Amino acid sequence: MRPKWAIDDTRWFTLGAGFRGSGVWVENRDTGDFRDHFSIDNARVFLNGQIHKYLKFESYTECIFCNNTHPGDNPKMSYNILAAIGKVEINRYINIWGGRMQIPTERGELSGPFHQATHDAFKTPFFPQDFSTKFGSGGAGRYGHDDGGTFWGSIEPGFIKGTLGYAGGVYRGLQSSTPMHMGPNQGNSVSWAGRLTYNFLNPEKNPGYYTRSTYFGKAGDILALAVGASYQKDGAGSFANRSDFLGLVGDALFEKVLPKNMGVFTVNGEYKQFYANYSPSAFADPDCFCIFDGKSWTVTGLYLIPVTVGIGQFQPYGRFTSIQPDHSSKREEIEAGVNYIIDDFKMRIAAYYQHGDLRTKGSNYAPDVVGDKVDVFKLSFQLMM
């Protein structure tokens, strides 16, 4: 529970904080040695409140680029307001959020960094709002957030047992129409995004349209299938080699509480198809918003062992990711590890191994990009209030 200060039943606010960090050991293929460093993955302060029965607000900060722990790294870290949301929440059927918020496309983004099933969760190519590192001219958002408005709610259609959740809206998206910046979007076109989720078993009970990638069995059996999309005219490429951007995603969460207290089995799956048909020659343009063009998928399986060992429970898992750009080299990664769950998302530790070329090739989708397959070991922890 976060500390809560209440004026009366309809006016209150809460304050919270979250921190995620990792020790990282990366193989150097030339020497066979491992370079080690510490990464501050996330450091946030959360403020939530209500000023009227139907009016709420939410804001939180983030340490931008805070995983730079070496003297020569650039850009340097800075602490900024990542989200600032005004909320009109009427009932379960129709609600409106406005401000700077997460864009409703995929479960991975809407779970945020703190409600993922694994610590190092963001593997498939980012949507524009996460591919970018700035708001405003020359950028398309930051860490999955952008400025705009979102309508969201849920209904029970009746013809199929379950609950249908929806979220969608209009956002600033990639902006490049200024005298100082040449980029593909010279017409000030906006970005549209939306997501539909069907829960066939128990409903997911989260604030707003946010999600989680596991519930550790505390929500019962979950089967959630979802589709999401994002579109922006002239949302990719460069001034000389531009194209529209269309991103499609389908994801699934299945969580089964095994009978006779035999533990909890969880599977997360995701498939993405991005259409950004700019010419490969755009990679030579300094103003290129060279977002991913192609398909990708990832799947994760986890098993929460029901026995308490010390102060927590072990949760071994495995994951495979494949990224297949249309004009660049294919990249893959396997991951195996174990989570030590002390208090759900509030306190946990993870140790895991990764092998592949996702790290060496990164988010560079140029035709000539190369990178070795390397071994990576990580020890991570998360604290949240």
Side-chain angles (χ1 to χ4, degrees):
M1 290 289 292
R2 294 175 180 174
K4 182 176 182 179
W5 292 267
I7 301 173
D8 52 39
D9 291 342
T10 60
R11 293 179 294 173
W12 51 265
F13 71 92
T14 63
L15 188 65
F19 182 84
R20 302 169 74 247
S22 299
V24 184
W25 293 264
V26 182
E27 179 189 16
N28 185 322
R29 292 301 300 271
D30 294 330
T31 65
D33 298 328
F34 283 82
R35 178 194 179 193
D36 64 288
H37 70 278
F38 177 76
S39 170
I40 302 173
D41 301 321
N42 299 95
R44 295 186 178 182
V45 176
F46 304 92
L47 176 65
N48 291 267
Q50 179 175 292
I51 58 176
H52 181 273
K53 180 180 179 181
Y54 299 119
L55 300 178
K56 301 179 181 180
F57 64 88
E58 177 181 3
S59 181
Y60 47 89
T61 60
E62 178 62 283
C63 184
I64 308 299
F65 310 117
C66 65
N67 59 349
N68 291 345
T69 57
H70 298 282
D73 285 344
N74 191 56
K76 299 300 182 182
M77 68 175 67
S78 61
Y79 223 74
N80 299 100
I81 295 176
L82 183 60
I85 313 168
K87 306 177 178 181
V88 179
E89 297 190 354
I90 302 170
N91 52 45
R92 59 171 293 194
Y93 305 108
I94 178 67
N95 303 277
I96 306 170
W97 288 6
R100 180 167 292 177
M101 69 198 77
Q102 286 182 301
I103 309 305
T105 50
E106 57 180 304
R107 179 175 293 273
E109 289 291 355
L110 295 180
S111 297
F114 288 94
H115 293 98
Q116 298 286 349
T118 62
H119 187 94
D120 194 1
F122 301 103
K123 293 297 182 180
T124 55
F126 293 129
F127 277 88
Q129 63 273 7
D130 211 348
F131 180 76
S132 173
T133 58
K134 62 181 292 187
F135 297 103
S137 180
R142 177 178 284 162
Y143 288 6
H145 296 66
D146 200 2
D147 301 334
T150 302
F151 292 84
W152 64 270
S154 66
I155 59 173
E156 294 179 355
F159 58 90
I160 299 177
K161 182 181 178 181
T163 304
L164 175 65
Y166 74 91
V170 58
Y171 312 93
R172 181 159 59 176
L174 174 65
Q175 295 294 298
S176 50
S177 180
T178 72
M180 299 294 294
H181 186 85
M182 298 297 288
N185 183 20
Q186 296 295 311
N188 288 322
S189 64
V190 296
S191 174
W192 301 82
R195 174 180 171 86
L196 295 173
T197 306
Y198 208 99
N199 285 95
F200 292 89
L201 302 175
N202 290 314
E204 298 178 78
K205 297 179 181 179
N206 299 305
Y209 55 91
Y210 297 146
T211 64
R212 298 186 179 194
S213 294
T214 180
Y215 295 88
F216 304 106
K218 295 185 177 181
D221 294 344
I222 297 288
L223 176 59
L225 304 181
V227 293
S230 177
Y231 171 80
Q232 185 175 18
K233 179 178 174 59
D234 295 331
S238 66
F239 178 79
N241 297 279
R242 72 188 70 178
S243 76
D244 297 345
F245 170 79
L246 174 63
L248 304 175
V249 60
D251 58 67
L253 167 64
F254 175 66
E255 186 156 282
K256 176 65 179 178
V257 181
L258 300 178
K260 299 180 181 180
N261 193 31
M262 293 297 292
V264 181
F265 179 65
T266 306
V267 176
N268 275 285
E270 176 190 271
Y271 176 85
K272 286 180 179 176
Q273 180 76 59
F274 282 8
Y275 299 93
N277 299 315
Y278 53 87
S279 170
S281 59
F283 284 92
D285 299 338
D287 64 328
C288 184
F289 193 76
C290 290
I291 196 168
F292 178 76
D293 179 28
K295 61 185 177 181
S296 64
W297 62 277
T298 185
V299 61
T300 308
L302 309 96
Y303 173 64
L304 182 63
I305 299 173
V307 179
T308 299
V309 179
I311 59 174
Q313 294 174 260
F314 287 104
Q315 184 185 46
Y317 71 89
R319 179 172 188 165
F320 179 79
T321 302
S322 177
I323 300 175
Q324 303 167 33
D326 285 347
H327 303 290
S328 186
S329 58
K330 181 179 179 180
R331 52 209 74 181
E332 294 181 338
E333 182 183 85
I334 58 172
E335 179 178 329
V338 60
N339 298 324
Y340 185 58
I341 310 300
I342 301 171
D343 188 6
D344 294 352
F345 297 109
K346 299 181 184 66
M347 185 182 300
R348 65 178 180 178
I349 302 170
Y352 46 105
Y353 160 80
Q354 298 167 339
H355 175 78
D357 51 5
L358 262 64
R359 185 180 186 90
T360 55
K361 294 179 180 178
S363 57
N364 183 355
Y365 305 113
D368 57 350
V369 66
V370 294
D372 292 327
K373 291 187 175 182
V374 297
D375 295 323
V376 181
F377 298 91
K378 293 187 179 183
L379 181 63
S380 304
F381 64 94
Q382 173 172 309
L383 300 171
M384 187 172 61
M385 176 182 69

